[in-house]
Amino acid sequence: MVHWAGVEPTTFAFGGRHSIQLSYQCFGAHRLSYSLPGIKRELDFPAFRGLHGAMKRLLLLLALSVATLHAQSDVPNLSLFSGGEGVIGQVNAIAVQADGKILIGGNFTTVNGVPRLNLARLNPDGTLDRTFVEDIALAPNGEVNAIAVQPKGGIIVGGAFTQVGQFETANIARYKADGSIDKTLGGGGDQPGVNAPVFALAVQADGKIVIGGNFNTAFGQPRRGLARLAADGTLDGSSIPQHALNGEVRAIGTAADDSVIAGGKFTIEDQISRNLIRIPHGQ
């Protein structure tokens, strides 16, 4: 934790090999400093004296981001498949892009010693793609449970989080192929996301996005356990009656005919079978 109003330095460790030490001197010179192995930087901010707490926190976050970039450049880019310490944390989801790059999501802090928060992309050879979400401030602020890739390159991420970057979105987000955040998902309304964790994602052949989880609203509209978005990210019509599904969806797949198969722990009204449902294409 950063000491917002003190002189004691705070150290952020990444994988036990590299660390960032960040401190803020709140008296006298109002100084920010950070240090890495062989690197030390000090920045004087005389104007800090008149700033409110929120602005001080923002500047401290920016300083941490700068220091993080230095930390990344200091670490050799080894393949995760043949060397290095791997992922520090837990990987919950994997998706492979058309170009062979590999997306991983979960609850982690570093990938082969480089800071990555819950989301990262690897090159086909297993080395870290340092162009994707290089600034950890752009990463989801909570656990990632599912990843899916649209035909045109959109990267859908679902899980248990409230923000990606400084953009507020509940439990689902879309990144562009370059790692920037696509804020139009869901139509850009004032209730972005779903109101409980997302556990599963699938993309149909036409680019539509199917979302499974433990929610009952999606982008402000009633949706229980399952929701579907059009390829452009706007909310699609309900695929099943909203009162019919009772429980949570944990897995989603698409069949050759583009029908959707969903599994989890649920019952369906007027059906004896439970925990598995098939939704025909076009429904």
Side-chain angles (χ1 to χ4, degrees):
M1 180 180 294
V2 176
H3 297 271
W4 302 117
V7 298
E8 182 180 353
T10 297
T11 299
F12 299 83
F14 299 107
R17 296 175 53 194
H18 301 273
S19 64
I20 297 169
Q21 191 175 78
L22 178 66
S23 63
Y24 163 51
Q25 169 75 53
C26 64
F27 305 106
H30 293 77
R31 173 171 295 172
L32 275 173
S33 66
Y34 62 87
S35 61
L36 293 160
I39 301 174
K40 185 172 182 180
R41 297 286 186 272
E42 292 187 347
L43 305 173
D44 289 327
F45 290 97
F48 256 42
R49 190 184 305 275
L51 294 178
H52 296 294
M55 182 57 70
K56 290 178 180 178
R57 286 167 170 77
L58 175 60
L59 289 175
L60 285 168
L61 178 61
L62 292 175
L64 178 59
S65 296
V66 171
T68 300
L69 294 179
H70 279 293
Q72 296 186 74
S73 64
D74 189 50
V75 180
N77 198 5
L78 303 175
S79 172
L80 269 75
F81 305 142
S82 59
E85 60 193 16
V87 179
I88 302 302
Q90 176 175 302
V91 175
N92 298 331
I94 298 172
V96 180
Q97 298 180 174
D99 60 2
K101 290 188 175 183
I102 305 157
L103 294 152
I104 61 173
N107 185 13
F108 52 80
T109 55
T110 67
V111 176
N112 262 5
V114 178
R116 283 296 184 272
L117 188 63
N118 306 322
L119 181 65
R121 186 167 65 190
L122 310 179
N123 295 311
D125 63 0
T127 58
L128 182 65
D129 180 357
R130 297 194 178 186
T131 68
F132 183 76
V133 194
E134 184 178 26
D135 184 351
I136 60 174
L138 296 176
N141 68 345
E143 190 166 5
V144 172
N145 297 323
I147 304 174
V149 182
Q150 293 182 280
K152 293 186 178 180
I155 298 165
I156 314 300
V157 176
F161 49 83
T162 58
Q163 287 185 338
V164 289
Q166 298 300 309
F167 178 60
E168 293 188 4
T169 180
N171 305 311
I172 188 165
R174 179 163 62 185
Y175 289 85
K176 299 177 182 178
D178 63 2
S180 60
I181 299 164
D182 184 349
K183 299 180 181 180
T184 67
L185 188 70
D190 58 359
Q191 298 184 61
V194 299
N195 69 335
V198 170
F199 299 125
L201 292 167
V203 174
Q204 297 180 271
D206 58 4
K208 288 185 177 181
I209 307 155
V210 187
I211 310 166
N214 190 28
F215 49 83
N216 54 42
T217 65
F219 299 94
Q221 299 299 315
R223 295 289 189 277
R224 292 181 64 176
L226 274 173
R228 185 163 55 194
L229 306 179
D232 63 3
T234 56
L235 190 64
D236 201 14
S238 177
S239 53
I240 61 173
Q242 285 309 297
H243 64 277
L245 191 149
N246 182 27
E248 63 185 34
V249 172
R250 287 274 181 170
I252 302 174
T254 56
D257 62 359
D258 219 22
S259 61
V260 174
I261 302 169
K265 188 176 181 180
F266 55 80
T267 59
I268 301 292
E269 188 178 73
D270 299 328
Q271 290 189 18
I272 297 176
S273 62
R274 59 185 63 198
N275 303 326
L276 194 66
I277 184 174
R278 179 170 180 159
I279 303 169
H281 176 64
Q283 183 171 325

